[in-house]
Amino acid sequence: MDKGTPSSALPTCAISLNINGTNRVLDIHPWVTLLDLLRGPMELTGTKKGCDHGQCGACTVLIDGERVNACLKLAVSIDGAEITTIEGLGTPQDMHPMQKAFVEHDAFQCGYCTAGQICSAVGLVAEGRAHSRAEIRELMSGNLCRCGAYTNIADAIEHVLDQEGVTPLREAAE
Amino acid sequence: MLNETKVVGLPLSRIDGPLKVSGSAKYAADHGGHGMLHGYAVPATVATGRIVEIETGLAERFPGVIKIYTHENRPRTAKDDDKWKDAVALPGHPFRPLENDRILYDGQPIAMVVAESFEAARDAASLVRVRYVAEEPHTDLGREQTRSYVPPQPRREEFVPPEPRGDPQGAFGDAPFKISSEYRLEGEYHNPMELFASTVLWEKDGFLTIHDKTQGSQNSRDYVCNVFGLDPEKVTVKNSFVGGAFGSGLRPKHQLFLAVMAALDLKQSVKVEMSRREMFYLTWRPATIQTVSLAADREGRLLSVMHHALQATSRYEDYQENVVNWSGLAYKCDNVRLSYGLAELDVSTPGDMRAPGAATGVTALEMAMDELAYEVGIDPVELRLRNFATRDQNQDKQFTSKALDACYREGAARFGWDGRSFAPRSMRDGNDLVGWGMATGIWEATIMPAEAKVRLSADGKAAVSAAASDIGTGTYTVLGQVAAEALGVPIDDVTVLIGDSSLPKTGVEGGSWTAASSGSAVQAASDAVRNTLLKHAKSMPNSPFGQASQDEVTLAEGRLVLDRNHQVGVSIGDIMDAAGVSFIEEHGKVAPDQEQAKKFISYTHSAVFVEVKVDEELGVPRVTRVVSAVAGGRVLNPKTARSQILGGVVMGVGMALHEEGMVDHRTGRIMNHNIAEYHMPAHADVEDIEVIFVHEEDDKVSPLGAKGLGEIGIIGVAAAVSNAIFHATGKRIRHFPITIDKILETSEEVRCS
Amino acid sequence: MRPFSYTRAETVQDAVIALAADPGAQLLASGTNLVDLMKYDVAHPTAIVDINRLPLKEIEDLPGGGLRIGALASNSAVAYDRRVQERYPLLSSAILAGASPQLRNAATTGGNLLQRTRCFYFYDPSTPCNKREPGSGCSAIGGTNRIHAILGASDKCIATHPSDMCVALAALGATVEIEGPDGRRDLAMTDFHRLPGDQPERDNTLAPGEMVTAIRLEGNHFARHHTYLKLRGRLSYAFALVSVAAAIDIADGEIVDLRVALGGVAHKPWRDTLAEAEFAGQPADEATFRGIAGRLLAAAKGQGGNDFKIPLAEKAIVRALRQAASGTPQDQVVKAVQ
Ligand SMILES: Cc1cc2nc3c(=O)[nH]c(=O)nc-3n(C[C@H](O)[C@H](O)[C@H](O)COP(=O)(O)OP(=O)(O)OC[C@H]3O[C@@H](n4cnc5c(N)ncnc54)[C@H](O)[C@@H]3O)c2cc1C
Ligand code: SF4
Ligand code: FES
Ligand code: FES
């Protein structure tokens, strides 16, 4: 069994999670958030902490395929779930199409919000509800980017949507 | 025909991109792993006064807590202020965390809990109980106007307003057209997405490796060494990836001090990551209250320019920026008076935030220019063209280049400015009033002393290293491009190593100077590599290079060749083999040219055009379109350069419409100290932004011919938004941010020709 | 956060018993509000009862064209449910105007109802706040109160309820299904939340040990003439300064039935059924809309920082009624106000 958090006198709970395809059985304190679990004991630091309060989207991961803010999720409450983080989408050598599109369109500057943006964008594509530029913007508004890469992020996502061909982009309804 | 490698100027994707999009790029808090201790700071909850008692018992008994630091048990550190002054310190007394019982500002760190886990540190921190004697805080700049003073010790000579020229008051009095307005710009908070953090890896032999969120690894290293009396040989600070900073990372922040303090004291590795709330207490773009008076003749030629700014600072340091001097050089005018004062508040010391000074000062000037355009009754672009300055009248110097006229022309054309009707409230789209506004941007173009090392290996691969930082600016990529081009190797064969204090000396990343400065140093180092290679080549038997000088040879496709006949050359590998070396490594160095600076001065310019739509009934403002035309010298990488401008524009929109620290002046606390309520633009707030780089050649600004682009993007944006809102609604709103309530409550301007 | 014990409820009964047994116990749905407040050291449950395993996720058809929405149905699931979109587009629209896609994917219907105010002072444990610490005083009065209430406030608390979804539910006359130690009961949505009065610590009328199991919506005639208009500090991912849920049943240009609920202005979604009734039979025109706005805001009172909300709400009500009457509900994607 993996050690979830440093030992102490306080009670722990056993949970199992599938993280990026690997099953993990963990013994954790109930107050540990999914974000702190990933970044700490799981050493998956690709997922970022930008606020720790659901206000920025930097911590976005996919839980059972849906994009969610990891910072407000107690890990105990998602026992049995499948988690995909940025590390699970692709590697520098073998990038996910969304990751490639982000590089190509310079959809980041400092790169700190980027993991959250990409996980969110992958969730958005899977949801299949973004059919226009305006919809991309609105449905990506849960991911703040202080570097202001928004227009490039929208370009990258549009590119992937076009490529996938599943949801042809209609003219922006502006 | 041989392909000369042309890399500089190409829109290459970032070479660090794959690391960033895959979560492999490690930021300050991403280092460490198991066995780290975690620190969590406790903020003061009064803005001024003294700590009477700190009760830590409850927190100490919290499971997992190792130690709690307060001013009562803080390990000893340097005594003299000098030791606490970092490379960009200000006149005054630098803040010393946990120094004593004095509270200088709300949110000041007054204790730190160190525990086995992040959670334990955070949770125990909430159990620290503090009793204060609070004094009455002063945090409202408006109410401190009578206590304004001219800073006795200038931060930089260039920031001191020049002596008045001509007779500004007289010219103002006699002029046929004039305006005089007061502008209030609220403070802004940098809030880069990355939380400030330091991970201090403590090693048994006394070595420290510190991953710090900073814009200058060497600045952080020197600060730590001075404050704790450490041997610089034993301290390495790294900032390989920095999650945005915008100026907030220029000076070392309290988490660095606290983390190093605890690591040294406990002889263990410690990580301290701030909360988002703490990010509001670090530093900020100071609030200003500015008065601009402009007068013009019937043709719109400026007869008088007067600009005064009152700016907030803290009780312990005189933070200063160049707010008003721009008004003496942006346009041609012979009668000018500029003045600048500070007022102390019970706040943390303000600091540089993207285009410090210009973002506020040029904004006020550019709103005033728009008011003047309407007073005189001429098109806002035309007004600016009529007052085009060809010399810096403040310093009586020549510009090294100024393609601002092209910015106006090309920006206006792309925007469709021609189609604008002059009268306010004259354009609409459904329920929206449509407004088009514009403004000029101006920023200093400088280089700073910088060094770099370039190594070329026999296999044709190159490595660049410098203690520069990439805070999202594209430094990795641009330095790689410069080396690739100079050495004639493909960009994929260049490794760039930055963000490490042990690398060649570089100043802090800020003021947009990194690309031009470090880039030029890389160029110089690459040139030196080529020279050494040439020297070796010449000593080869039967060398084809004979008397060839360094200007007559080129490196291309792995060979050193003669310029006049590319057929003639020798491969890098062969030259190094012959010389018995496996690589050549050289140092490069640049510094500003002092001689040239006596006659010339450089600025980056822009013209920003903004379309807003404002719901007529509800006053909801939206920025629907922006065109930013920039004259920034040679553009080293149009892709990353464009991103810098985009980012500046977005931040400018935030400044104009969203960002406001809401201070409860009874307690001196920013109440919306979170990013749900301190609004920065979200995706939905940003529609369409176009960036144009106009052609501008400049052989004096830097050896590369490049000017910086990090700041220029934001300058003028807020003014252009405000001017567009006037054009849409007929309302002059001179108090930022322009929120829905201000649009509703402001009445339409009657004065308008 | 403070240490707490954690249990996972397998049945509603389990949850109710666990909740009733321990005054320090709180239910955990998705946690987007509770965990947030625990991290800010505002909420200190000693026991967490995780209800995520309860079978309350379903959205079921009811006889008569109504729907029952389980307390654990996520905000996204509700907003994008085809039946909700067809029968209660107002509800769908209001949910999509709130928070962010990520938060809506997590947030539950029950949790949204029970989310607490965003008052700056409530969130900052170092300040006096009657809601957080009864009797300590209200810092928002005379303080930073841009986001505070203009209706129904007391001298003990001027906070607002932050939900968008609840504003639509109030307008639609939803019923809240409650399960408690004494069994099941129904409560009208408009009676669920309360005004602060002398007990601002109580947001709602749930008794100790009670929990929400579902929201019930009756069949209605509002699918054509409705709108949710939300005004806020930026165009997305921000709480409402003022929002209006409007639904009208119009026949021959006359108002047959009218619902107006306001968000961001009071301690609960603000609805005035008496006022609504007065306008039945009136023509659906500007004059009537202005009359309605005036009537709803007759008792409005500003606190300084939020004075602007009064004229803003007035204009927003008129605009929303116009949108509803003309069958052009506010689009939550296109940011131009319709
Ligand atoms: C940054 C941010 C922005 C947001 N913006 C908006 C917005 O614009 N509009 C908006 O409407 N909302 C907004 N929200 C709030 C969000 O909608 C709520 O946090 C969410 O709906 C709460 O649902 P939950 O399931 O996460 O509740 P939880 O956090 O799990 O629970 C909240 C409370 O409800 C109680 N509870 C949960 N379920 C039940 C039940 N079945 N019966 C009784 N009690 C129960 C819990 O004990 C707890 O006290 C925002 C939130 C954040 C963090
Ligand atoms: S308004 Fe209510 S919640 Fe806010 S400080 Fe006052 S009592 Fe507390
Ligand atoms: S870190 Fe989770 S939303 Fe900001
Ligand atoms: S890339 Fe820096 S915050 Fe988005």
Side-chain angles (χ1 to χ4, degrees):
Chain A
M1 204 183 267
D2 286 328
K3 204 67 203 148
T5 44
S7 66
S8 77
L10 297 165
T12 55
C13 308
I15 61 164
S16 73
L17 293 175
N18 182 295
I19 303 176
N20 296 329
T22 308
N23 283 317
R24 313 294 298 259
V25 179
L26 302 157
D27 197 22
I28 57 167
H29 293 309
W31 43 86
V32 173
T33 63
L34 175 60
L35 177 61
D36 289 329
L37 176 70
L38 291 171
R39 288 183 50 77
M42 298 294 102
E43 299 192 8
L44 291 168
T45 54
T47 307
K48 299 294 186 243
K49 183 183 282 189
C51 69
D52 219 10
H53 291 280
Q55 304 164 356
C56 76
C59 64
T60 304
V61 298
L62 301 166
I63 303 184
D64 295 328
E66 286 197 350
R67 46 180 171 154
V68 168
N69 310 71
C71 66
L72 293 181
K73 256 299 164 229
L74 293 185
V76 274
S77 73
I78 51 165
D79 183 18
E82 246 177 61
I83 317 290
T84 307
T85 70
I86 190 73
E87 291 92 343
L89 289 178
T91 61
Q93 292 73 34
D94 183 19
M95 289 187 272
H96 182 278
M98 189 64 78
Q99 292 171 319
K100 269 193 207 144
F102 265 61
V103 174
E104 183 57 32
H105 291 271
D106 210 34
F108 53 87
Q109 290 168 45
C110 76
Y112 198 79
C113 71
T114 310
Q117 300 277 2
I118 291 174
C119 287
S120 189
V122 168
L124 169 103
V125 171
E127 289 158 13
R129 297 191 188 104
H131 306 286
S132 69
R133 191 81 178 186
E135 278 163 336
I136 294 175
R137 282 202 297 269
E138 171 61 14
L139 296 174
M140 285 301 291
S141 284
N143 293 84
L144 299 184
C145 174
R146 186 55 155 167
C147 294
Y150 295 124
T151 50
N152 288 354
I153 293 168
D155 287 345
I157 295 173
E158 204 172 326
H159 179 93
V160 172
L161 284 172
D162 276 345
Q163 244 178 4
E164 302 238 325
V166 244
T167 40
L169 275 187
R170 52 174 145 71
E171 265 304 286
E174 271 114 82
Chain B
M1 195 48 219
L2 179 130
N3 271 332
E4 256 189 66
T5 323
K6 181 85 185 76
V7 196
V8 174
L10 292 185
L12 296 187
S13 293
R14 285 169 206 260
I15 60 176
D16 50 335
L19 292 178
K20 283 181 172 172
V21 299
S22 61
S24 322
K26 289 209 181 295
Y27 298 77
D30 297 344
H31 296 270
H34 272 304
M36 298 286 305
L37 296 179
H38 296 259
Y40 200 89
V42 180
T45 56
V46 299
T48 175
R50 280 178 191 285
I51 299 168
V52 179
E53 192 188 0
I54 301 194
E55 210 190 285
T56 54
L58 212 55
E60 265 157 19
R61 287 192 296 277
F62 195 90
V65 169
I66 304 285
K67 184 163 179 179
I68 298 176
Y69 294 91
T70 69
H71 68 279
E72 287 166 352
N73 68 348
R74 190 193 77 168
R76 287 174 65 124
T77 51
K79 270 219 204 68
D80 296 346
D81 255 4
D82 274 359
K83 300 274 183 202
W84 289 82
K85 289 206 170 184
D86 66 280
V88 279
L90 301 164
H93 307 286
F95 174 66
R96 307 177 182 198
L98 313 187
E99 173 80 355
N100 54 33
D101 60 351
R102 286 247 23 125
I103 303 298
L104 298 165
Y105 58 91
D106 180 67
Q108 173 183 325
I110 51 164
M112 179 175 70
V113 179
V114 178
E116 286 171 4
S117 69
F118 163 72
E119 290 85 353
R122 174 194 65 197
D123 299 343
S126 70
L127 298 173
V128 172
R129 297 279 170 266
V130 188
R131 259 191 331 116
Y132 305 92
V133 224
E135 288 154 27
E136 192 196 331
H138 297 262
T139 48
D140 186 351
L141 182 62
R143 280 198 236 150
E144 303 303 309
Q145 295 198 58
T146 53
R147 278 185 260 245
S148 126
Y149 61 95
V150 173
Q153 189 193 337
R155 177 181 171 200
R156 269 169 62 184
E157 282 308 324
E158 308 92 274
F159 289 1
V160 178
E163 288 299 309
R165 60 177 182 258
D167 175 16
Q169 199 63 58
F172 187 82
D174 299 340
F177 295 108
K178 56 191 107 180
I179 62 108
S180 185
S181 294
E182 185 183 276
Y183 304 95
R184 284 186 182 230
L185 283 72
E186 297 295 336
E188 288 187 277
Y189 299 84
H190 301 67
N191 277 308
M193 290 316 304
E194 182 192 14
L195 300 166
F196 269 84
S198 299
T199 302
V200 180
L201 303 175
W202 185 88
E203 285 148 47
K204 281 209 173 48
D205 43 14
F207 282 85
L208 296 182
T209 302
I210 305 170
H211 297 278
D212 186 34
K213 177 178 175 70
T214 173
Q215 289 171 254
S217 54
Q218 292 170 333
N219 191 26
S220 286
R221 179 199 55 199
D222 295 347
Y223 172 83
V224 163
C225 291
N226 288 334
V227 165
F228 293 100
L230 303 175
D231 175 358
E233 294 295 310
K234 292 187 160 179
V235 178
T236 309
V237 174
K238 295 191 179 182
N239 63 337
S240 336
F241 292 97
V242 183
F246 315 109
S248 60
L250 289 168
R251 303 182 66 189
K253 294 290 174 287
H254 65 250
Q255 95 287 350
L256 174 64
F257 172 87
L258 293 173
V260 173
M261 171 195 76
L264 292 173
D265 183 49
L266 299 169
K267 303 195 172 16
Q268 280 196 66
S269 297
V270 176
K271 178 183 308 196
V272 179
E273 186 175 20
M274 287 193 193
S275 65
R276 180 52 67 180
R277 176 175 174 180
E278 276 178 279
M279 302 279 286
F280 285 81
Y281 306 139
L282 300 178
T283 183
W284 53 302
R285 188 199 292 290
T288 54
I289 299 176
Q290 306 182 50
T291 325
V292 183
S293 305
L294 301 176
D297 66 15
R298 290 177 198 289
E299 274 72 53
R301 281 187 296 259
L302 282 168
L303 298 174
S304 172
V305 172
M306 293 182 281
H307 188 168
H308 175 73
L310 173 70
Q311 180 216 293
T313 190
S314 69
R315 296 270 181 225
Y316 52 100
E317 285 171 314
D318 275 347
Y319 172 71
Q320 299 159 58
E321 48 188 37
N322 170 8
V323 179
V324 296
N325 299 3
W326 311 102
S327 294
L329 64 90
Y331 300 106
K332 185 178 170 337
C333 183
D334 297 330
N335 304 297
V336 173
R337 194 185 66 209
L338 308 170
S339 52
Y340 170 73
L342 298 178
E344 284 184 2
L345 303 180
D346 297 303
V347 295
S348 64
T349 304
D352 292 342
M353 176 167 170
R354 205 168 204 161
T360 48
V362 174
T363 290
L365 172 68
E366 287 301 297
M367 288 193 281
M369 283 296 279
D370 200 66
E371 296 194 35
L372 185 67
Y374 277 85
E375 195 64 24
V376 180
I378 59 175
D379 177 80
V381 176
E382 183 56 31
L383 177 74
R384 286 162 172 90
L385 286 169
R386 286 190 195 173
N387 290 288
F388 200 84
T390 50
R391 271 185 93 69
D392 177 346
Q393 284 181 289
N394 280 352
Q395 302 189 42
D396 195 25
K397 284 180 186 169
Q398 216 172 312
F399 298 123
T400 54
S401 61
K402 182 177 176 183
L404 175 60
D405 42 347
C407 296
Y408 291 134
R409 209 171 42 242
E410 292 178 36
R414 185 74 61 88
F415 188 81
W417 187 258
D418 269 4
R420 180 183 192 264
S421 64
F422 181 77
R425 298 183 68 88
S426 59
M427 291 165 64
R428 38 171 75 242
D429 174 13
N431 298 318
D432 287 327
L433 296 167
V434 177
W436 289 1
M438 60 82 56
T440 307
I442 180 166
W443 181 248
E444 58 190 3
T446 45
I447 62 166
M448 301 300 274
E451 297 177 23
K453 225 162 40 183
V454 169
R455 169 194 286 226
L456 181 66
S457 304
D459 60 3
K461 302 224 190 292
V464 174
S465 54
S469 312
D470 189 330
I471 59 172
T473 38
T475 311
Y476 276 104
T477 311
V478 165
L479 298 190
Q481 282 176 279
V482 172
E485 177 153 317
L487 301 175
V489 304
I491 183 85
D492 291 342
D493 285 345
V494 183
T495 318
V496 180
L497 203 62
I498 58 176
D500 183 330
S501 63
S502 60
L503 299 173
K505 191 169 165 64
T506 314
V508 287
E509 158 94 38
S512 293
W513 57 65
T514 296
S517 313
S518 292
S520 296
V522 170
Q523 176 84 52
S526 305
D527 290 347
V529 166
R530 199 181 51 216
N531 286 348
T532 308
L533 199 63
L534 177 62
K535 216 172 62 205
H536 288 319
K538 282 184 182 169
S539 37
M540 288 172 81
N542 304 324
S543 169
F545 293 102
Q547 295 308 309
S549 77
Q550 46 175 303
D551 305 331
E552 291 164 342
V553 297
T554 301
L555 265 167
E557 291 186 348
R559 295 165 74 235
L560 188 68
V561 295
L562 278 177
D563 281 346
R564 72 187 132 77
N565 183 357
H566 282 178
Q567 305 285 324
V568 181
V570 185
S571 82
I572 295 172
D574 288 349
I575 301 173
M576 291 200 198
D577 267 358
V581 297
S582 58
F583 65 85
I584 295 172
E585 182 169 85
E586 298 293 347
H587 234 87
K589 215 172 166 169
V590 286
D593 181 340
Q594 304 295 350
E595 260 321 292
Q596 179 183 290
K598 288 179 187 157
K599 276 173 58 190
F600 290 95
I601 189 146
S602 304
Y603 297 97
T604 312
H605 293 91
S606 70
V608 195
F609 298 83
V610 167
E611 174 182 270
V612 299
K613 293 188 177 169
V614 183
D615 183 79
E616 183 171 16
E617 187 175 29
L618 297 168
V620 180
R622 286 139 51 221
V623 172
T624 47
R625 207 153 60 84
V626 179
V627 171
S628 177
V630 177
R634 181 173 176 212
V635 178
L636 304 176
N637 181 330
K639 192 185 262 193
T640 55
R642 178 171 169 274
S643 288
Q644 295 244 60
I645 304 302
L646 294 174
V649 169
V650 171
M651 211 177 255
V653 170
M655 180 178 179
L657 299 183
H658 306 117
E659 297 184 37
E660 178 173 21
M662 297 177 201
V663 180
D664 184 336
H665 294 300
R666 300 171 308 178
T667 56
R669 172 164 317 157
I670 303 156
M671 289 314 303
N672 55 337
H673 45 59
N674 62 71
I675 49 175
E677 299 292 346
Y678 178 85
H679 291 146
M680 307 186 276
H683 207 137
D685 296 290
V686 180
E687 289 195 25
D688 186 13
I689 308 173
E690 271 194 74
V691 179
I692 301 169
F693 292 108
V694 306
H695 183 74
E696 186 179 67
E697 270 175 39
D698 192 324
D699 58 4
K700 296 193 177 63
V701 61
S702 64
L704 280 177
K707 297 177 175 178
L709 294 169
E711 335 281 316
I712 190 67
I714 189 175
I715 303 165
V717 175
V721 171
S722 165
N723 298 341
I725 286 178
F726 168 75
H727 184 235
T729 64
K731 298 176 181 192
R732 281 283 177 207
I733 299 163
R734 302 183 179 87
H735 185 177
F736 283 164
I738 304 175
T739 42
I740 194 166
D741 47 315
K742 292 186 188 129
I743 297 181
L744 278 185
E745 284 164 3
T746 306
S747 40
E748 283 165 40
E749 198 92 340
V750 274
R751 187 180 65 191
C752 150
S753 323
Chain C
M1 259 193 234
R2 305 285 164 80
F4 53 81
S5 67
Y6 172 85
T7 51
R8 209 173 273 146
E10 301 295 339
T11 65
V12 170
Q13 221 44 46
D14 273 2
V16 168
I17 290 170
L19 197 56
D22 182 350
Q26 279 200 50
L27 302 181
L28 175 75
S30 108
T32 59
N33 190 229
L34 181 59
V35 174
D36 189 27
L37 288 168
M38 288 163 70
K39 287 194 195 181
Y40 275 124
D41 197 31
V42 174
H44 306 116
T46 49
I48 287 285
V49 182
D50 183 344
I51 57 173
N52 285 291
R53 295 282 166 91
L54 304 187
L56 301 174
K57 283 204 172 66
E58 299 303 309
I59 302 174
E60 306 160 74
D61 280 300
L62 293 176
L67 285 179
R68 175 189 280 117
I69 300 170
L72 288 172
S74 76
N75 286 181
S76 295
V78 177
Y80 292 115
D81 185 276
R82 178 124 19 99
R83 293 161 296 175
V84 173
Q85 288 180 326
E86 280 165 12
R87 297 177 217 169
Y88 309 101
L90 170 59
L91 176 59
S92 176
S93 182
I95 293 173
L96 294 179
S100 70
Q102 291 96 312
L103 286 162
R104 296 193 296 261
N105 280 346
T108 65
T109 303
N112 194 306
L113 236 65
L114 274 286
Q115 68 173 300
R116 310 211 65 190
T117 183
R118 307 299 292 200
C119 169
F120 305 140
Y121 300 93
F122 175 73
Y123 260 85
D124 184 341
S126 68
T127 61
C129 165
N130 286 326
K131 187 183 276 298
R132 187 172 19 78
E133 217 182 306
S136 62
C138 171
S139 299
I141 297 174
T144 304
N145 50 35
R146 180 181 170 77
I147 63 172
H148 288 76
I150 52 171
L151 287 166
S154 73
D155 60 356
K156 298 282 187 298
C157 178
I158 59 170
T160 59
H161 192 265
S163 168
D164 291 300
M165 183 189 88
C166 294
V167 183
L169 289 177
L172 291 167
T175 303
V176 185
E177 294 185 3
I178 294 166
E179 189 111 2
D182 303 330
R184 267 205 51 178
R185 68 179 178 118
D186 280 355
L187 190 60
M189 181 66 197
T190 40
D191 295 330
F192 184 81
H193 295 101
R194 55 185 296 285
L195 292 177
D198 283 339
Q199 282 184 295
E201 68 276 17
R202 290 185 57 209
D203 295 349
N204 55 56
T205 55
L206 280 187
E210 284 188 323
M211 70 174 281
V212 174
T213 51
I215 296 287
R216 223 169 46 234
L217 287 160
E218 318 266 290
N220 72 92
H221 306 283
F222 298 124
R224 240 174 76 72
H225 295 290
H226 68 88
T227 194
Y228 189 72
L229 177 59
K230 177 175 179 179
L231 303 169
R232 49 192 147 174
R234 65 181 167 206
L235 296 172
S236 190
Y237 203 11
F239 288 95
L241 287 167
V242 168
S243 69
V244 185
I248 322 182
D249 187 5
I250 303 180
D252 301 328
E254 267 184 20
I255 296 174
V256 178
D257 193 0
L258 165 76
R259 308 284 175 83
V260 184
L262 307 180
V265 296
H267 200 255
K268 60 186 285 191
W270 188 261
R271 230 189 111 185
D272 185 339
T273 45
L274 286 178
E276 288 169 3
E278 280 171 30
F279 290 89
Q282 305 263 350
D285 63 9
E286 280 298 300
T288 305
F289 300 160
R290 283 212 195 88
I292 295 169
R295 180 75 169 73
L296 284 173
L297 295 166
K301 184 171 158 289
Q303 298 286 341
N306 66 351
D307 292 350
F308 73 94
K309 281 189 178 181
I310 301 174
L312 184 64
E314 190 178 336
K315 289 177 203 278
I317 294 168
V318 172
R319 186 63 162 274
L321 288 167
R322 206 186 295 145
Q323 291 180 340
S326 60
T328 51
Q330 181 59 40
D331 188 321
Q332 301 304 350
V333 170
V334 174
K335 298 298 171 181
V337 184
Q338 261 100 34

